Amino acid sequence: MTTATTPTNFTELGLIQPLLARLTELQYQTPTPIQAQAIPSVFAGRDLIAGANTGSGKTATFALPILQHIFEQQQSNKPSNSKHSNGNYVTGLILVPTRELAKQVADSIKSYAVHLNGAVKTVAVFGGVSANTQMLALRGGTDILVATPGRLLDLISSNAIKLSRVQTLVLDEADRMLSLGFTDELSELLALLPNKKQTLLFSATFPEQVQALTTKLLNNPVEIQLQSSDASTLVQRVFTVNKGEKTALLAYLITQHQWRQALIFVNAKNSCRHLAEKLAKRGITAEVFHGDKGQGARSRVLEEFKTGKIEVLIATDIAARGLDIDKLPVVINFDLPRSPSDYMHRIGRSGRAGEVGLAISLIDHEDYHHFSVIEKKNKIRLEREQVEGFEADDISSDSILATEKPMAKPEGSGKKKRKNKEQVNADIWLNRS
Ligand code: AMP
């Protein structure tokens, strides 16, 4: 763990004026914990392992020092109007698991760089779209490349990119990258990189595969693991409900709370459509987002969700990682994710960068055991709650229905009057965001 003193503002972090000016415009008032703890080490040239979720501000953690480093190198080495990194060589390489994340990270970097007068060029490359357009974008040299592993290998084999002069390598969401089966591509890519470079590895979780990678790749790294309190802007709740009443409860919560936006997770592509149809019958319009949608459709849906045109989005886990939807008020697990780490990734879509967020899981009897496993693995324990009118028939013994803080009374089910005191309190609470 690092013991470095942690600066409390961006100026103390040693950022140059054009970057500071941009952060002010973006209304970043103070560094997030990961930024405060990691940026000094990145500036010092150290390798880094950071246990940080999306939403922690990790993109700026690597992007700002890389931008500053390249900018300063260019200022000292070249005339101010010179080209970018020579030929097909890139200086900063950021590997990410998904195309959405590639675009998002590249957009963030470009945004941080707006006052660098075009001195640092960033390009994103990812699969699922024509490689020709990306090759055109790479012409004239690229300083920072954000890439998914497969497409990067294709571009290397077409000689559009060379990695032998990379100075900084970032592995973003390393656990996701490995769990998506990019291990071989990653090994191939790593072999093309120079030995002398700075490596920054970000991962929400540290399964064995990631640990093996860090041992192999990193040289005496600084390790930063965010304390759970650093991410405590997210409130998690779990509601028990009968299986047959789940959709009704979901519709009730959506209409009752009028969330500006809600991201709902299910486990299968078909379930997205089924649930959207069922919600439509209850007067709620929802869009779906899953792997069968073409790249164009996915981008459009995401854009419309981000801008608020789509209010309810039903997604599979493809959306669980890396998507930066500003101030998403609520994430709902309609189906529980299979893996405990996916639970953390899903709920990380809400409560980002200091915003209060809410993650709700709807669990029926079949989910009780699995939810306990998710809790155990993630070292959390949540009080089971019920929404009046939607109470589960019977609560199994392994659940911990509130004793200290009684929730809606369990006797009787069916939809009776909707509001009692507890419910009103729950409503106020749920509306905090
Ligand atoms: P990230 O974890 O990098 O995906 O960042 C999550 C969100 O937090 C993005 O919308 C960033 O623009 C925002 N963000 C990053 N750093 C800060 C900061 N210091 N202050 C406010 N917002 C930030």
Side-chain angles (χ1 to χ4, degrees):
M1 296 299 111
T2 182
T3 51
T5 52
T6 47
T8 52
N9 62 53
F10 285 108
T11 314
E12 279 178 43
L13 285 172
L15 293 172
I16 51 176
Q17 199 51 42
L19 293 176
L20 289 174
R22 182 61 184 153
L23 297 182
T24 306
E25 284 168 5
L26 292 172
Q27 297 181 342
Y28 289 13
Q29 281 157 3
T30 47
T32 64
I34 184 79
Q35 290 161 3
Q37 290 176 48
I39 289 179
S41 304
V42 182
F43 270 134
R46 296 286 303 270
D47 281 3
L48 174 79
I49 302 177
N53 273 311
T54 310
S56 57
K58 67 187 167 61
T59 312
T61 304
F62 59 78
L64 296 171
I66 294 178
L67 281 169
Q68 180 156 332
H69 183 64
I70 296 177
F71 182 73
E72 287 178 337
Q73 267 184 345
Q74 300 208 343
Q75 298 299 100
S76 57
N77 293 342
K78 297 179 181 176
S80 57
N81 62 349
S82 69
K83 291 191 290 163
H84 301 288
S85 286
N86 289 335
N88 301 334
Y89 296 97
V90 291
T91 307
L93 175 65
I94 296 143
L95 293 178
V96 295
T98 63
R99 40 191 147 174
E100 279 80 18
L101 188 59
K103 280 199 282 187
Q104 186 179 294
V105 167
D107 286 348
S108 297
I109 299 176
K110 288 177 196 169
S111 164
Y112 296 137
V114 291
H115 297 309
L116 299 180
N117 301 326
V120 185
K121 181 171 152 194
T122 301
V123 174
V125 296
F126 43 83
V129 291
S130 144
N132 288 341
T133 325
Q134 295 174 353
M135 283 191 198
L136 277 179
L138 293 166
R139 283 218 182 131
T142 301
D143 300 296
I144 301 178
L145 186 68
V146 187
T148 53
R151 176 52 58 92
L152 178 56
L153 281 171
D154 293 344
L155 290 168
I156 290 170
S157 60
S158 333
N159 270 328
I161 289 288
K162 289 195 170 68
L163 300 187
S164 53
R165 294 190 197 159
V166 165
Q167 293 177 12
T168 309
L169 167 69
V170 178
L171 293 166
D172 195 8
E173 308 208 345
D175 50 352
R176 182 68 162 171
M177 201 129 55
L178 295 175
S179 73
L180 286 177
F182 282 130
T183 317
D184 292 345
E185 283 92 341
L186 215 50
S187 305
E188 247 183 275
L189 287 171
L190 296 178
L192 300 172
L193 288 157
N195 282 336
K196 188 172 175 299
K197 62 182 175 303
Q198 181 180 33
T199 304
L200 315 173
L201 182 143
F202 294 81
S203 198
T205 55
F206 287 86
E208 259 170 44
Q209 272 183 310
V210 178
Q211 288 176 27
L213 182 68
T214 58
T215 315
K216 189 172 134 200
L217 195 61
L218 293 141
N219 176 22
N220 185 24
V222 171
E223 290 181 33
I224 294 174
Q225 180 64 54
L226 286 190
Q227 299 305 311
S228 53
S229 61
D230 293 336
S232 65
T233 49
L234 180 76
V235 176
Q236 301 170 54
R237 304 190 80 184
V238 53
F239 294 116
T240 56
V241 59
N242 289 332
K243 198 177 182 70
E245 287 279 283
K246 251 192 186 182
T247 311
L249 174 57
L250 175 67
Y252 170 74
L253 290 171
I254 292 172
T255 26
Q256 188 76 3
H257 300 294
Q258 300 281 308
W259 289 300
R260 193 169 25 80
Q261 282 162 303
L263 178 60
I264 299 162
F265 281 107
V266 294
N267 283 346
K269 293 166 198 163
N270 278 345
S271 314
C272 289
R273 194 171 38 81
H274 285 148
L275 185 57
E277 285 167 4
K278 286 200 248 167
L279 288 179
K281 288 192 188 132
R282 294 170 186 269
I284 296 167
T285 311
E287 261 290 354
V288 298
F289 186 79
H290 52 65
D292 271 1
K293 286 208 164 246
Q295 180 58 26
R298 273 161 71 169
S299 302
R300 178 190 58 78
V301 168
L302 264 189
E303 203 44 47
E304 290 185 0
F305 190 52
K306 281 185 184 182
T307 56
K309 199 165 159 199
I310 294 172
E311 289 172 3
V312 179
L313 186 64
I314 306 172
T316 56
D317 281 287
I318 195 165
R321 273 295 193 130
L323 301 183
D324 178 19
I325 298 153
D326 208 18
K327 300 174 189 157
L328 191 55
V330 63
V331 167
I332 302 175
N333 286 317
F334 186 81
D335 292 336
L336 283 183
R338 290 185 193 92
S339 91
S341 60
D342 278 344
Y343 175 84
M344 297 312 282
H345 301 317
R346 284 183 180 188
I347 69 174
R349 302 309 92 219
S350 185
R352 298 159 66 75
E355 293 294 324
V356 173
L358 178 62
I360 293 179
S361 298
L362 305 182
I363 63 169
D364 63 54
H365 297 87
E366 289 171 17
D367 300 320
Y368 288 0
H369 175 69
H370 185 47
F371 195 75
S372 299
V373 174
I374 289 176
E375 287 181 311
K376 203 167 160 205
K377 292 271 185 222
N378 290 316
K379 301 192 174 58
I380 51 173
R381 192 77 172 127
L382 303 177
E383 181 182 25
R384 272 52 170 173
E385 302 179 55
Q386 306 202 57
V387 177
E388 193 186 345
F390 300 94
E391 295 91 344
D393 281 339
D394 147 59
I395 304 297
S396 82
S397 56
D398 72 341
S399 76
I400 49 161
L401 189 64
T403 46
E404 312 90 326
K405 180 186 154 209
M407 295 305 296
K409 56 190 178 337
E411 81 264 14
S413 63
K415 297 180 190 69
K416 300 168 291 198
K417 62 177 174 42
R418 281 275 149 78
K419 302 240 173 199
N420 63 7
K421 194 157 158 272
E422 283 105 349
Q423 185 58 51
V424 171
N425 285 340
D427 289 347
I428 292 166
W429 195 93
L430 280 162
N431 273 326
R432 262 166 36 142
S433 59

